[in-house]
Amino acid sequence: VGVVAYYPSRVQHISATVTTYNISSYQLWSSVIFGRTGARQIYPWEYWSVPTYGGRMGDCKQDARLVYRQVLQQKLDILSRRLDRSLRGRLQCRVVQSWFRRLRVNGPNGANLSIQPLAKLLSERRPTDTDAPLSELDTFDPSRPCPFELGATTVSPLESKLILGVKFRKVWWPWLSRLLESLMLRRALGSSRVSYSSFHNASLLRNMATMPGISDALDPANAARSTLKLENTEKRDTLIKIEKRYQKQWQDSKIFNATAPSTTEFAPGSIAPSELRKKHPKYFGTFAFPYMNGTLHAGHSFTASKVEYTAGFARMQGKRVLFPLGFHCTGMPIKACADKLTEDVRRFGQNFEGYAEEEVDGEAGLPAPTQAETKEDITKFTSKKSKATAKGVKLKYQFQIMLALGIPREEIHKFADANFWLKYFPPLCKRDLNNFGARIDWRRTFVTTDANPYYDTFVRWQMNRLKDLDKIQYGSRYTIYSPKDGQPCMDHDRTEGEGVTPQEYTALKLKVKEWAPDAAKILHCKLPDSATVYFVPATLRPETMYGQTCCFVGPKVTYGIFQASQSEYYVVTKRAAWNMAFQGIFFKNDSFPRDASELAPIVELTGAAVVGTLVDAPLSVHKEGIRILPMDSVSPTKGTGVVTSVPSDSPDDYAMVTDLAKKAEYYGIKKEWAELDIVPIVETPSYGNLAAPFLVKKMKINSPKDTKQLAEAKDLAYKEGYYKGTIIVGDFKGEAVEVAKPKVKAQLIKAGNAFEYAEPNGHVVSRSADECVVAYLGQWFLNYGENDPAWRDQVLDYVKNDMETFSSETKNGFEKNLEWLNRWACARTYGLGSKLPWEPKFLVESLSDSTIYMSYYTIAHLLHSDTFGSQPGLLDIKPEQLIDEVWDYIFCRREISDELLKDSGISESDLQTMRREFEYWYPLDMRISGKDLIPNHLTFFLYIHTALFPRELWPSGVRANGHLMLNGEKMSKSTGNFLTLNDAVTKYGADATRIALADAGDGVEDANFEETVANQIILRMYTLKEWCEDVSADPSLRTSPTSKNLWDSLFENEMHTLVHQAYAHYAATDYKVALKSVLYDFTSARDFYREALAAASMPMHRDLVTAYISHQALIISPIAPHWADYIWQEVLHKPTTIQNALWPVVPQPDAGFTAAYTYIRTTSSAITSAEGHQIRKKSKGKATQYDPEQPKRLTIYTASAFPSWQQKYIDLVRDFHAKASLEDKSLNAEVGRMGEGKKALPFVQGLKKRIQTGENAEDVFERKLAFEETDVLGQMLRGLRKTLPKCKGVEVVEVVGEEEGKKTGR
C-alpha cells in the first residue's frame, strides 16, 4: 500500500503497516499511520481500511455496509481503550470513518467498489505549534464527517480488486478532539462503549445540548452545523461579486418600482378599469408577509421564490409588475417574548451576568404530544398541519433563544421593549431579500399594528365595515383560551397546537344511587348528607344513550369530586374540571380563575375505588341503574375520564363488556354487572340493529387490546349509524340519526340530565407557555361558516367555479375547510395590534387584521414614505384625514361627494389617484402561501374579499405550496439542519440558491432544498459564463449565411422548441420543469450541437451561438436574473438591463427537424448502449458478439418498409385521434387487449408523440417520416466513427424486399 501525505515537522517518527481482516468473502486492507511527538502534544492521523473483492459482485453493497459497521465498532473500541490511557508517548489511532452517502459500482470491469463521502474538509487549517493540547479541546460535533477525501485506484488490470486510498489533503485538527469529547460524553451518559449508532442517534444529539458545560445550543452557527460545508469558493465568490454589482444597479435605478397609468394619461371615468388593464397588462403577486420575531429562513424564501419567478416572467410578457412586501407584527408572539425578556433582565441582570448554567433533564421541556386518536366526530373537518408539529424543543429562557438567533448579548435587553422588535427585524428582512435579488417595490412596505397610523386607520375601517354588514357579531361561544393570559388563544398565538379547535360534547349526569364500599369509606363525612353526586361522562353520541349498560372509569386514574352548586357534585378528572371552570360550571363567566389552585376538589379518589358504584343513567332502558366498571384504556387526558358504555353501537364498549363478563373474577367485579341486556338502538342497512356486535364478530376482534381493528370498526359503525341509521327507540323513534341527534341532546339538557361541555381536540400551549383550555365566553367574532350560509356559499361557489388554485389539492383543501370552518374570535386584550374601533379595550386579532392588506399595498406609497408611516408619502396625506368614507371611495364602495371632500380635506385629484392605483392593480393575480394557511389565513382572505369588494375585484388565483425540507430532512435547529435565507445566499450566492429553490419542487407536497444541487449549480453557472465569454470572442466561428448545415438547423429548431416549452412551463407556474427546459435541456442542446460539429471538424455558426447566448440569458432570467443580466450587458453588450427585456419571439418548431433531432439522439444512444453492453458482458467473462477492445466496423440497417404487424396499431391510433382522444389510460388498455403489448406499446407511444409534437397526423398514419432517414444517417457517419472506440468505418445498408423477412442489401 502506497502512502503519500504531508506531515508537519513536529512529527518525529512515521511508519506504515498493513493489517488484514477476513470478514465474509472480503479482505479488509488497513493502512495505519503511527505518529510520535513530544509529551502531550500529539497529532495522530489515520489512513484507511478498505474492502477488496476478487469475484462476482453479488450483494457487494449490502455486505460492504456490514463490513464497515463491524470494523467501525472494533476500531472505536480500540480508540476508547487507548484514549483512556496516558496521552504521552507513542499513540496508535485506528479510527474508521463511515459517514458516506452512497455505495456504487463502477470501473471498466464492473467489479470496482467506490465510496463517496458526505462532504469534504471543513477547514483548511493544519496543526501548528500554537494549537491547544488534545485533552483541552472540546469542540466535538459527531454529525460532521471525518476530514478525508476518498479516491479510487485499480490495483491491477488483471485483478478485480480495488483499494480505496485516502488522500490526506489537509489536516482537520478539531475532528479528533471532538471524538475525544464524544468519549467524555459517553462516560457522562454511563455508556461503556461509543457505538456506531450513537453517532447517528438524533436523541443523543438533542441531549447533548442539555448536558452540563455544553452550550452549543446558544451558538447560532450550530443551527447549520449539519449542512454542507464548502471548501473552494473562488468560483462562488466571482459569481457573488457579479450579483452584488447588479443588485446595486437595480436598486439605484429603482427598476422594480411599479405605478399604475396616471389620471393624466387616462382621465378618471374615461376608461373602464378592466379596459385599462387590457390596454396596459399588469401582474400583482404577493406572499404572506413574514412575522417579525426573527430573520427569514429558507422556507420563507421558498414561498417568496414562487412570486419572484412569476414576477420575472410577467415582466418579460410586457406587463407592469407589482411585488410588494410588508411586515406582520400583530398578535401575541412579540409581546410575549418581550415580557419574558423583561423577567429575564429582572432576574439575571441587563446582560444576564447573573445566570448560572443549569443542568437540565434531557426530557425536560419536551411538549406533551398531541393526542393521536381515531377521529370520533365524523361531522367535523380536521386540518392536519405539519407546521404545528414541526415546532421543536425550546430553550428555557428567552435570552437564550435570542443568543441562538445571533443577537449580541449586550443588545438583547433592548428587546424587552416590544416596539424594538419592529425596528430591528424588518431591515434585516429587507437586506436578505435584496441580497436574494427579489423584485420588490419597497416603497409600499409597512408594519402592521398602530405603530403605523396609516395602516391602523385601514384596519379600523375594515372592522367597522364588517360590523356594519353584520359579519362581525358579539355572542357567547366556545373558544381556545389561555387562563394565564386571560384571553382567547388563536392559531398564531400558540407555540403548540396550531389548528386545534374546541370539541363539543354532551356531558351526561349519572346520579349515584349506591357507592361502592371502598368509595363509601373514603367519602365518609367528606360530603354533606344533602349532596347529590353525579359521574359525568362526555359523549359525542347522545342519541344512543338509550342503550347504556354500564359506565367505565380508569382504575389507575385519579378523579376528583368537585362542587358544582350548593348540592350538586361532579366526579371527573381535574383536567376536565379545569376546562369546565371556564364554561360556567364551577365559576361564573365573568370571574374565570387564573390558577388551578383556585379549583380544589372536595376529595380525590382512584377509579378502582368507585368500581361497583350503582348510578342512574338518563334515558337508559335499565331503569334500576347501571354499574361503574373498570376499563384500563380510559384516558385521563381526553373527555372527562368517565366513559358511558353503549355496547350495541360502540365496538370498543362491546369488546370490553364481553371481556369483563368472561373475566369477572380477574377484574374484581360481579359477572352480572357486565351482563345487562344489550338492546337495539339504531337500525342500519349494512350492520343491522346491533352494529357493534356485528362488526366485532365479522372482523374477528377477540380482545379490547385489538386496538387497530377496534378503531376501524368504530369508524365504520359511527359513519353507518350517523349517515344511514334510524332511531328505533324513544321519543324520536323512526327518525334519521342526523335529525334525532340534536333533539335527543336538547331533551337531555332541558330535563337537567346533561349539559354542554367542550375541550381542545389536541394539546395547545400559548406563547406565554400556558396550557390552554376551552372557554365559553362572550366575544366579538367573525361570523364565518354555517351561521351565515349565504356568505359561505358565495365563497365556496367562487372557489369551485372561478378562482385558479393551480392544483386539485389546493381546491379540495379550500372546499373542505369552508364546509368545516365556523365563527372566529377577532379580538383579544393582550399583544400588539390595532384597537377595535367600537370597544378600544380589545385589539384586533392577528389573523383578522391580515386578510385584505394586499389592497393596502396598492396605495401605501402614496400615504407614507417609510415603514412606520412617520413621513408622509407622495400625496402628503395625514393619517387623521383617512376617515372611513375615504377608504370606501378608494375601494370602490362609494363615489366622491362634496361632503367627503370637506370631511377629509383630501383633494379630488388625490382621491382619484389613489382609486386609480387600486382599480388598476386589483384584483390580486396570485396569492402564494404555504399549504398550512389554507385552514385559516387563506380562507379568511377569501371571506373578507367577498364581503368588502365587488366580484370583479376578488382574487384571481391562490397557489399553495408544501413546506421546505433541507437535504431530504425536516429543517431543525436542534439537529443542525437549518438555513436562514442569509445563510443560503452567503453560502451559495443568490442565483445558485434561486435555482436550487426552483429545483426543490412545485406541488403541495413538501419540497426539498438540496445543498448539493446549489453547490453544483455554482460550477455549472460559472463554467457556462466562461464559455459564453470565450465563444463570443472566438474568431473561428462561421459567419456566412449560406454555410448553414443540418446540424445548424437542428440546433436552431431545438432552441425554438425549448423556448416555447419554457414559456408554457412558466405560465403554468411549473418552475421545476421550467428550470429543466431553460438550463439543463438548453445546455444539452448546445452540447449536442458542439459535439456534432466537432466530430465533423467544423466550427459552430456565430449567428447561432449568439442566438443561443441571448436566448439562454433571457429564458433563465426569471430564475437567475443576476447571471442573466451579466451575460446580457457584459457579454452581449446590450444597453439596458435584462429586467426590461421581453420574452424572445421565435418561430414554431419544425416538426421535421424535431423528429430528426430525436432520431439522431435515439440512434446514437442505441449504438453506444450496445457497445457498453458488450463491454459489460466481457468484463464478467461472458461470451460477446464481438470483442469491443478490437478494431471494428459499424453497419446500420434501415428498412424501406415497416413490419406488417404495425398496421393494426396505426389504425387504432387513427381511430382514437379521430375521436380527439389520445389519453394514455384508455389507449394503452386497448393496446393490451390486442395481445402484443410488449412490442406494440412503444410503437404506439412513438406515433402519439409524433402527432403531439406537431407532425401532420396523416403523414404519421401513412407511415411517412418527417425527414429523409438515409440523408440524416449520412450526416451522422463521421460523428459515430469518432464516438465508438477503435471504429474503422461506418456504413448504412437499406433493407428492401417485397415480403417481410426477404432482405436484399445495397
Side-chain angles (χ1 to χ4, degrees):
V1 179
V3 178
V4 179
Y6 170 81
Y7 298 94
S9 59
R10 294 185 62 83
V11 179
Q12 301 171 3
H13 175 73
I14 298 176
S15 65
T17 64
V18 174
T19 305
T20 300
Y21 296 90
N22 290 318
I23 302 177
S24 185
S25 60
Y26 297 94
Q27 291 180 327
L28 192 70
W29 293 52
S30 176
S31 175
V32 183
I33 299 299
F34 302 89
R36 189 177 72 180
T37 67
R40 291 190 61 79
Q41 286 282 25
I42 60 169
Y43 296 118
W45 290 268
E46 106 187 68
Y47 234 62
W48 195 246
S49 303
V50 297
T52 64
Y53 178 71
R56 298 174 58 189
M57 286 303 297
D59 295 325
C60 179
K61 296 181 182 180
Q62 182 177 355
D63 290 347
R65 291 191 184 97
L66 177 62
V67 169
Y68 273 96
R69 183 178 287 250
Q70 292 171 345
V71 173
L72 176 68
Q73 185 61 66
Q74 276 186 332
K75 298 230 171 181
L76 286 175
D77 289 345
I78 293 172
L79 183 63
S80 299
R81 291 194 297 270
R82 292 187 183 280
L83 289 179
D84 284 343
R85 301 174 186 172
S86 170
L87 295 177
R88 297 176 181 274
R90 185 169 179 154
L91 177 66
Q92 298 183 15
C93 289
R94 301 181 180 183
V95 184
V96 176
Q97 187 267 354
S98 68
W99 288 264
F100 29 79
R101 172 158 296 167
R102 63 184 183 275
L103 295 167
R104 63 173 180 152
V105 177
N106 67 357
N109 59 5
N112 289 341
L113 175 69
S114 69
I115 300 174
Q116 304 299 321
L118 272 178
K120 295 182 180 179
L121 304 182
L122 296 182
S123 171
E124 296 186 3
R125 185 169 66 90
R126 289 197 296 269
T128 65
D129 292 353
T130 59
D131 279 318
L134 176 65
S135 58
E136 295 178 14
L137 295 178
D138 60 354
T139 56
F140 174 65
D141 184 351
S143 64
R144 291 179 178 172
C146 183
F148 301 128
E149 182 183 76
L150 308 183
T153 307
T154 301
V155 176
S156 168
L158 301 178
E159 296 179 308
S160 299
K161 291 187 177 181
L162 180 70
I163 291 183
L164 303 179
V166 175
K167 298 177 183 177
F168 197 88
R169 297 179 57 204
K170 299 182 180 74
V171 177
W172 183 26
W173 171 239
W175 188 83
L176 187 61
S177 65
R178 291 203 308 274
L179 189 55
L180 176 62
E181 180 68 13
S182 78
L183 300 174
M184 296 168 61
L185 177 63
R186 177 256 303 172
R187 294 193 191 97
L189 295 177
S191 172
S192 61
R193 308 170 67 189
V194 179
S195 68
Y196 173 93
S197 61
S198 70
F199 280 78
H200 304 275
N201 188 310
S203 64
L204 173 63
L205 297 180
R206 286 196 299 270
N207 288 340
M208 283 179 57
T210 64
M211 289 295 297
I214 299 179
S215 57
D216 289 348
L218 304 183
D219 183 356
N222 280 329
R225 66 180 180 273
S226 295
T227 60
L228 188 65
K229 304 301 183 291
L230 304 186
E231 184 182 80
N232 190 339
T233 63
E234 180 182 354
K235 295 179 176 61
R236 179 205 68 183
D237 296 342
T238 300
L239 294 176
I240 289 179
K241 186 176 180 181
I242 291 172
E243 291 168 356
K244 295 302 180 187
R245 185 159 73 245
Y246 282 94
Q247 287 167 5
K248 185 177 186 304
Q249 182 186 115
W250 300 336
Q251 292 163 21
D252 290 346
S253 63
K254 305 185 187 310
I255 196 168
F256 303 131
N257 291 357
T259 306
S262 69
T263 54
T264 303
E265 297 174 77
F266 298 93
S270 65
I271 185 171
S274 58
E275 291 300 316
L276 182 61
R277 292 192 290 268
K278 288 180 181 178
K279 192 174 184 66
H280 294 280
K282 61 86 181 180
Y283 167 80
F284 178 21
T286 65
F287 74 101
F289 49 18
Y291 198 78
M292 289 295 99
N293 60 347
T295 56
L296 302 184
H297 56 68
H300 289 111
S301 57
F302 178 61
T303 302
S305 70
K306 307 302 181 186
V307 189
E308 254 299 292
Y309 306 147
T310 310
F313 177 62
R315 293 181 70 92
M316 301 193 76
Q317 292 175 294
K319 298 178 180 179
R320 300 192 188 200
V321 173
L322 177 58
F323 176 15
L325 186 67
F327 305 111
H328 198 199
C329 307
T330 308
M332 285 182 58
I334 291 175
K335 184 70 169 72
C337 291
D339 289 350
K340 289 177 185 177
L341 277 176
T342 299
E343 175 60 21
D344 288 353
V345 170
R346 184 197 66 78
R347 184 173 181 180
F348 303 121
Q350 179 170 297
N351 294 323
F352 316 103
E353 58 275 3
Y355 172 73
E357 195 168 357
E358 302 174 2
E359 181 172 348
V360 182
D361 183 1
E363 298 299 320
L366 285 171
T370 300
Q371 293 178 347
E373 298 174 342
T374 305
K375 183 180 175 182
E376 292 198 6
D377 191 347
I378 59 172
T379 66
K380 301 294 185 182
F381 168 73
T382 301
S383 169
K384 295 181 180 179
K385 303 195 222 177
S386 58
K387 184 177 179 180
T389 59
K391 300 182 186 297
V393 180
K394 307 297 181 185
L395 293 171
K396 184 173 182 180
Y397 296 106
Q398 184 64 39
F399 83 88
Q400 294 175 315
I401 297 174
M402 306 303 286
L403 284 172
L405 288 174
I407 310 297
R409 182 180 289 264
E410 60 275 10
E411 293 283 319
I412 292 176
H413 69 91
K414 298 178 182 177
F415 289 86
D417 176 6
N419 290 319
F420 186 75
W421 296 67
L422 280 61
K423 299 174 183 177
Y424 186 86
F425 285 112
L428 298 182
C429 175
K430 181 176 179 180
R431 175 206 67 186
D432 293 347
L433 286 166
N434 282 337
N435 291 339
F436 185 63
R439 301 173 174 91
I440 294 175
D441 182 351
W442 288 113
R443 298 175 304 159
R444 302 170 187 262
T445 192
F446 58 88
V447 294
T448 63
T449 76
D450 53 8
N452 185 317
Y454 292 93
Y455 186 78
D456 185 55
T457 67
F458 166 75
V459 172
R460 287 190 279 110
W461 162 81
Q462 171 188 336
M463 303 307 286
N464 279 330
R465 290 299 173 256
L466 288 170
K467 185 171 183 291
D468 294 343
L469 293 168
D470 204 30
K471 304 303 181 185
I472 293 180
Q473 299 178 357
Y474 187 85
S476 295
R477 59 186 292 273
Y478 290 113
T479 189
I480 305 295
Y481 183 87
S482 168
K484 180 179 179 180
D485 299 329
Q487 65 175 8
C489 183
M490 309 312 289
D491 270 6
H492 283 189
D493 302 329
R494 306 172 189 174
T495 58
E496 186 182 344
E498 187 174 350
V500 171
T501 57
Q503 175 66 67
E504 297 182 29
Y505 295 89
T506 301
L508 289 173
K509 297 166 66 175
L510 276 61
K511 181 179 178 180
V512 174
K513 301 177 70 173
E514 176 188 316
W515 284 105
D518 290 347
K521 291 178 182 178
I522 296 172
L523 297 175
H524 182 64
C525 297
K526 299 287 180 66
L527 296 172
D529 294 338
S530 60
T532 303
V533 182
Y534 298 91
F535 281 80
V536 184
T539 180
L540 292 168
R541 305 193 64 185
E543 75 282 3
T544 65
M545 293 301 100
Y546 300 99
Q548 297 175 85
T549 63
C550 64
C551 182
F552 296 127
V553 294
K556 299 179 181 178
V557 175
T558 299
Y559 296 88
I561 299 180
F562 298 88
Q563 186 172 7
S565 66
Q566 187 172 358
S567 60
E568 288 192 357
Y569 296 80
Y570 295 159
V571 180
V572 292
T573 61
K574 190 162 186 177
R575 172 188 168 278
W578 184 237
N579 267 275
M580 292 178 182
F582 299 90
Q583 298 168 29
I585 305 300
F586 303 119
F587 293 84
K588 294 181 179 180
N589 285 339
D590 58 354
S591 58
F592 287 156
R594 285 297 184 98
D595 188 86
S597 62
E598 299 179 49
L599 180 66
I602 303 300
V603 64
E604 289 186 323
L605 67 175
T606 64
V610 300
V611 169
T613 297
L614 182 67
V615 296
D616 181 32
L619 296 185
S620 174
V621 297
H622 299 289
K623 301 302 182 182
E624 69 281 2
I626 62 176
R627 297 284 177 173
I628 303 294
L629 299 181
M631 186 180 193
D632 289 333
S633 60
V634 169
S635 171
T637 61
K638 181 175 172 57
T640 62
V642 181
V643 181
T644 191
S645 172
V646 184
S648 60
D649 291 270
S650 170
D652 296 276
D653 295 350
Y654 180 77
M656 190 66 222
V657 295
T658 302
D659 200 55
L660 286 168
K662 287 180 182 179
K663 305 174 184 178
E665 186 175 351
Y666 170 80
Y667 285 108
I669 66 170
K670 294 181 180 180
K671 186 176 182 181
E672 58 268 24
W673 292 350
E675 291 186 329
L676 297 186
D677 291 341
I678 299 175
V679 297
I681 304 298
V682 177
E683 181 73 42
T684 65
S686 301
Y687 312 133
N689 57 21
L690 290 171
F694 177 89
L695 286 168
V696 167
K697 293 171 185 176
K698 180 182 178 182
M699 300 176 68
K700 298 180 180 179
I701 298 171
N702 300 315
S703 164
K705 296 180 180 179
D706 295 337
T707 54
K708 184 177 180 181
Q709 297 98 310
L710 281 170
E712 184 181 351
K714 180 179 180 179
D715 191 52
L716 292 171
Y718 196 176
K719 286 182 178 179
E720 179 81 6
Y722 184 79
Y723 291 113
K724 300 179 181 180
T726 303
I727 297 291
I728 58 176
V729 296
D731 295 342
F732 307 103
K733 180 179 179 180
E735 294 189 14
V737 169
E738 279 187 279
V739 176
K741 179 176 179 175
K743 294 181 179 179
V744 174
K745 178 179 179 178
Q747 184 185 60
L748 284 165
I749 294 174
K750 185 176 181 180
N753 292 323
F755 57 89
E756 291 182 328
Y757 166 70
E759 65 183 24
N761 63 3
H763 191 249
V764 181
V765 178
S766 73
R767 297 279 179 178
S768 58
D770 185 34
E771 184 172 351
C772 294
V773 298
V774 167
Y776 188 76
L777 71 166
Q779 58 187 274
W780 292 102
F781 57 83
L782 280 154
N783 198 29
Y784 300 137
E786 59 187 14
N787 297 291
D788 192 341
W791 193 15
R792 179 196 59 195
D793 294 344
Q794 183 182 49
V795 178
L796 190 58
D797 176 72
Y798 187 67
V799 169
K800 288 181 175 180
N801 301 313
D802 296 311
M803 190 178 76
E804 176 62 64
T805 57
F806 299 92
S807 73
S808 59
E809 294 91 342
T810 300
K811 177 174 283 190
N812 292 338
F814 274 120
E815 291 175 3
K816 289 181 179 179
N817 195 55
L818 285 164
E819 293 169 359
W820 160 82
L821 183 67
N822 214 320
R823 293 170 170 173
W824 186 269
C826 62
R828 63 157 61 83
T829 58
Y830 176 79
L832 303 179
S834 297
K835 292 180 173 60
L836 204 61
W838 58 89
E839 198 164 356
K841 70 177 183 180
F842 290 111
L843 300 172
V844 179
E845 183 261 340
S846 63
L847 281 170
S848 301
D849 83 335
S850 58
T851 53
I852 57 169
Y853 65 87
M854 312 85 200
S855 61
Y856 186 82
Y857 282 136
T858 63
I859 46 85
H861 64 301
L862 301 175
L863 299 178
H864 51 84
S865 58
D866 68 325
T867 303
F868 291 91
S870 59
Q871 299 295 326
L874 297 175
L875 299 183
D876 197 25
I877 294 173
K878 295 179 175 57
E880 54 269 23
Q881 293 178 277
L882 293 171
I883 58 177
D884 286 353
E885 291 73 19
V886 168
W887 291 110
D888 286 337
Y889 173 75
I890 293 171
F891 297 137
C892 307
R893 296 174 54 85
R894 63 164 293 164
E895 297 303 322
I896 285 182
S897 67
D898 292 338
E899 183 181 8
L900 173 61
L901 296 175
K902 178 182 177 182
D903 291 345
S904 67
I906 302 174
S907 69
E908 182 175 0
S909 62
D910 287 348
L911 288 171
Q912 290 172 340
T913 296
M914 289 190 285
R915 183 158 178 170
R916 168 59 57 81
E917 285 281 336
F918 171 72
E919 284 185 324
Y920 177 71
W921 291 115
Y922 249 59
L924 182 66
D925 294 285
M926 184 186 293
R927 175 67 170 176
I928 299 180
S929 293
K931 63 184 178 183
D932 57 289
L933 295 183
I934 292 176
N936 45 57
H937 163 70
L938 288 175
T939 302
F940 302 169
F941 157 80
L942 294 179
Y943 261 116
I944 305 304
H945 270 85
T946 59
L948 295 180
F949 300 133
R951 190 179 184 94
E952 63 271 15
L953 298 179
W954 295 354
S956 300
V958 174
R959 191 184 191 283
N961 54 258
H963 299 293
L964 186 69
M965 296 189 296
L966 181 60
N967 301 323
E969 298 179 358
K970 184 185 73 175
M971 279 205 296
S972 170
K973 290 182 179 179
S974 63
T975 61
N977 192 51
F978 188 83
L979 276 183
T980 65
L981 175 56
N982 184 57
D983 290 339
V985 172
T986 302
K987 191 173 187 178
Y988 300 109
D991 281 342
T993 299
R994 293 167 68 108
I995 291 172
L997 287 170
D999 183 73
D1002 292 311
V1004 295
E1005 65 278 0
D1006 288 350
N1008 180 36
F1009 182 93
E1010 190 65 53
E1011 287 192 278
T1012 55
V1013 171
N1015 195 28
Q1016 292 162 7
I1017 287 299
I1018 294 172
L1019 177 60
R1020 178 182 284 271
M1021 301 309 291
Y1022 182 85
T1023 304
L1024 187 56
K1025 175 189 79 72
E1026 287 199 321
W1027 183 86
C1028 291
E1029 292 168 342
D1030 294 342
V1031 76
S1032 62
D1034 188 352
S1036 67
L1037 299 180
R1038 286 180 291 127
T1039 57
S1040 172
T1042 60
S1043 66
K1044 288 190 176 180
N1045 53 38
L1046 173 65
W1047 306 111
D1048 295 333
S1049 299
L1050 292 176
F1051 179 45
E1052 184 175 42
N1053 185 74
E1054 184 64 10
M1055 285 195 292
H1056 297 166
T1057 300
L1058 292 172
V1059 168
H1060 285 289
Q1061 284 182 3
Y1063 188 96
H1065 297 322
Y1066 276 130
T1069 70
D1070 292 332
Y1071 307 113
K1072 184 180 179 73
V1073 187
L1075 176 65
K1076 180 177 181 295
S1077 295
V1078 304
L1079 181 58
Y1080 301 113
D1081 290 349
F1082 215 69
T1083 54
S1084 177
R1086 178 209 62 179
D1087 294 341
F1088 170 82
Y1089 175 59
R1090 182 173 55 177
E1091 291 162 7
L1093 289 180
S1097 301
M1098 185 182 299
M1100 295 180 290
H1101 199 288
R1102 180 170 295 279
D1103 291 348
L1104 292 178
V1105 168
T1106 303
Y1108 166 80
I1109 296 173
S1110 176
H1111 292 340
Q1112 177 68 93
L1114 287 166
I1115 65 177
I1116 203 173
S1117 63
I1119 296 176
H1122 309 85
W1123 185 93
D1125 215 354
Y1126 171 82
I1127 298 297
W1128 189 252
Q1129 294 192 55
E1130 300 191 36
V1131 176
L1132 296 175
H1133 306 294
K1134 301 292 184 178
T1136 59
T1137 174
I1138 202 171
Q1139 298 281 8
N1140 290 330
L1142 299 179
W1143 189 264
V1145 178
V1146 297
Q1148 287 294 325
D1150 182 277
F1153 286 134
T1154 300
Y1157 182 82
T1158 303
Y1159 176 84
I1160 291 171
R1161 302 202 75 159
T1162 303
T1163 303
S1164 299
S1165 177
I1167 292 170
T1168 54
S1169 295
E1171 173 82 356
H1173 180 63
Q1174 298 302 314
I1175 292 173
R1176 287 192 296 274
K1177 288 179 69 175
K1178 182 178 180 181
S1179 69
K1180 296 178 181 179
K1182 296 182 179 180
T1184 60
Q1185 294 174 315
Y1186 65 92
D1187 188 345
E1189 296 183 1
Q1190 298 299 319
K1192 63 183 76 71
R1193 292 180 62 84
L1194 172 65
T1195 303
I1196 302 174
Y1197 294 92
T1198 173
S1200 60
F1202 290 96
S1204 58
W1205 66 266
Q1206 296 179 353
Q1207 184 60 50
K1208 59 182 177 181
Y1209 295 101
I1210 290 176
D1211 295 338
L1212 175 66
V1213 177
R1214 190 198 303 269
D1215 291 341
F1216 271 81
H1217 183 260
K1219 299 174 186 176
S1221 174
L1222 285 177
E1223 191 265 323
D1224 276 338
K1225 188 174 181 181
S1226 55
L1227 180 60
N1228 293 349
E1230 188 62 33
V1231 172
R1233 281 192 289 270
M1234 295 172 71
E1236 298 172 299
K1238 188 172 182 179
K1239 64 178 181 179
L1241 193 57
F1243 174 70
V1244 168
Q1245 291 298 326
L1247 295 176
K1248 178 182 171 183
K1249 184 175 181 180
R1250 290 176 62 188
I1251 295 171
Q1252 291 176 335
T1253 54
E1255 288 192 52
N1256 183 278
E1258 285 307 313
D1259 287 346
V1260 174
F1261 298 142
E1262 291 299 325
R1263 311 175 97 176
K1264 295 178 181 178
L1265 289 177
F1267 58 93
E1268 184 56 49
E1269 185 177 16
T1270 54
D1271 290 347
V1272 170
L1273 286 170
Q1275 294 281 346
M1276 294 174 62
L1277 296 183
R1278 182 179 294 183
L1280 289 172
R1281 190 179 301 121
K1282 289 190 174 183
T1283 301
L1284 288 176
K1286 299 183 179 181
C1287 182
K1288 300 302 181 182
V1290 183
E1291 63 176 338
V1292 177
V1293 175
E1294 184 177 8
V1295 179
V1296 297
E1298 296 181 358
E1299 298 179 9
E1300 186 175 353
K1302 181 180 178 182
K1303 300 179 180 178
T1304 306
R1306 75 170 185 269

